[in-house]
Amino acid sequence: MANTSHRALRLLSLLGSGRQWPLRELAIRLGVSERTVRRDIETLRGLDYPIATSHGPDGGYRLGSGQTLPPLLFDHDQALAVAVALQTAPSTMFGLGDDAARALATLHQAMPPALRASMESLRLTRLQNYWEFPAQPIDPAALTAVGTAVRHRRLLVAEALRPDGTRPEPGDADFSPARRIEPHHLVVWAARWYLVAYDLTDHQWRVHRVDRLHPRPTTQHFAARALPGDDLAHFVMSTHDRGDTPAAWQCTGTARLKLPAHIVARWAPGGSVVEHLDTRHCRLTLGAWSWAGVAGILATFDTELTDLHPPELVQACRRLAHRWATTTGTENPDPADG
């Protein structure tokens, strides 16, 4: 009986995802026969869950429209996903530390013992990885405003913020007027939230850092547009002017690379800045925990490097060049080398 109840809850959880499930796929997910799935569906219907059936080659089962699941109905995998999400959210969104901790405690108390034990096994401790490229946590209000506008396809009036989150005043050197944009997609990359939007001021596709925007929602709707190249990930990663600024590092340097900006932007670490110079060159600004670290990252682009700054970076490149030039790999010498 316990196995039957657990399976029925798992089935209800799957149906509650909102999609239509073919009978065979449900049977595979639950690890039972199709006949058992049919019987469990009838059990749920007997409990007044309106499970609709669609016939034909594309048929299957789904939970009736407008119906919701009982609160806190999580299976094992969902419980683990919630535990991880609540513990990692404070690192990417500003001010969620206490709220996430309280939500996790509430879920912990409401969970059955088995799921509670699973959640306790995922108590995370965040350690500083010195090759991590940190991002500023984002304001939940801004993210909610942008996300709602994306979902409902409503225009935004957006003002650019400084890297510290302040708003430039008219007359400031970094002030730019508010722009009307169509928000199409939200993307998370390298712990940063980006908005892919169509700018109605100059009729160009742009990528914005959400934490660098002050969005003002409107009620004006817009129609969907086809992305340039139809590849969202490539568009975001290869856009060099997406509003990034150098992350806070112990050492920050710049160099001129003999590569196009869109190529370097695709592979540059998060928290670096790529500046377009011409069709064959760009400038990369990036940081690391040491000057050798900055030099090492620059070397991964395997191209000509010029105009390096500051002098400490130049010296680090020379030291590495000398070190590599004197590396002979004599641990297992080749007899043919004498």
Side-chain angles (χ1 to χ4, degrees):
M1 181 64 181
N3 289 337
T4 302
S5 300
H6 176 77
R7 191 177 61 245
L9 288 174
R10 171 66 173 158
L11 173 60
L12 187 56
S13 176
L14 292 173
L15 295 172
S17 65
R19 59 164 287 193
Q20 182 165 285
W21 293 84
L23 177 61
R24 182 179 180 182
E25 188 172 349
L26 285 174
I28 293 173
R29 286 294 191 100
L30 297 172
V32 296
S33 67
E34 295 183 5
R35 179 180 180 182
T36 299
V37 174
R38 290 194 186 96
R39 185 167 60 247
D40 289 344
I41 286 175
E42 291 306 316
T43 298
L44 292 176
R45 284 172 172 163
L47 296 173
D48 294 329
Y49 285 102
I51 300 173
T53 303
S54 298
H55 300 284
D58 298 324
Y61 298 93
R62 61 179 175 82
L63 196 63
S65 177
Q67 298 297 319
T68 58
L69 297 180
L72 298 178
L73 179 62
F74 292 116
D75 59 34
H76 178 269
D77 293 339
Q78 288 174 318
L80 297 186
V82 170
V84 171
L86 286 173
Q87 292 179 83
T88 56
S91 66
T92 59
M93 295 188 68
F94 177 75
L96 287 189
D98 290 342
D99 293 332
R102 289 191 298 108
L104 190 62
T106 300
L107 286 171
H108 183 270
Q109 294 175 3
M111 288 290 177
L115 292 184
R116 190 181 308 142
S118 296
M119 293 180 68
E120 288 176 345
S121 69
L122 278 178
R123 292 285 184 180
L124 303 181
T125 299
R126 288 189 56 81
L127 301 178
Q128 176 65 44
N129 178 348
Y130 289 102
W131 285 103
E132 212 171 45
F133 298 92
Q136 184 71 20
I138 191 171
D139 181 1
L143 185 60
T144 299
V146 171
T148 300
V150 169
R151 180 178 181 182
H152 297 290
R153 290 184 182 169
R154 292 176 181 168
L155 291 179
L156 284 174
V157 176
E159 299 176 63
L161 301 177
R162 296 189 179 99
D164 62 2
T166 60
R167 295 167 63 181
E169 298 294 333
D172 292 347
D174 53 356
F175 174 79
S176 61
R179 305 174 80 91
R180 296 172 66 250
I181 60 176
E182 297 175 351
H184 284 264
H185 301 278
L186 267 177
V187 177
V188 180
W189 181 43
R192 288 161 174 79
W193 292 81
Y194 294 96
L195 171 65
V196 178
Y198 188 79
D199 195 316
L200 296 176
T201 303
D202 54 12
H203 302 286
Q204 295 284 336
W205 281 99
R206 298 193 182 280
V207 179
H208 302 275
R209 282 272 296 269
V210 178
D211 59 317
R212 305 285 166 77
L213 289 180
H214 177 68
R216 299 202 306 268
T218 74
T219 57
Q220 186 175 351
H221 291 267
F222 63 88
R225 298 177 186 266
L227 274 174
D230 295 325
D231 188 333
L232 182 63
H234 182 270
F235 179 69
V236 172
M237 291 187 289
S238 61
T239 299
H240 70 275
D241 57 346
R242 52 182 175 250
D244 286 331
T245 55
W249 283 102
Q250 292 174 254
C251 304
T252 301
T254 69
R256 185 176 186 264
L257 280 65
K258 192 177 180 180
L259 284 172
H262 70 90
I263 297 294
V264 174
R266 171 68 177 82
W267 301 107
S272 57
V273 175
V274 181
E275 177 188 356
H276 171 82
L277 299 179
D278 56 46
T279 56
R280 299 179 60 197
H281 299 85
C282 69
R283 176 170 294 282
L284 175 61
T285 302
L286 75 163
W289 63 276
S290 70
W291 291 113
V294 178
I297 297 174
L298 288 172
T300 64
F301 287 94
D302 193 20
T303 188
E304 179 182 325
L305 302 174
T306 57
D307 197 20
L308 278 72
H309 295 283
E312 292 86 349
L313 176 57
V314 177
Q315 294 171 8
C317 289
R318 289 172 178 166
R319 286 196 302 271
L320 286 180
H322 175 73
R323 188 175 302 157
W324 292 329
T326 57
T327 299
T328 59
T330 56
E331 291 183 1
N332 296 294
D334 189 333
D337 292 337

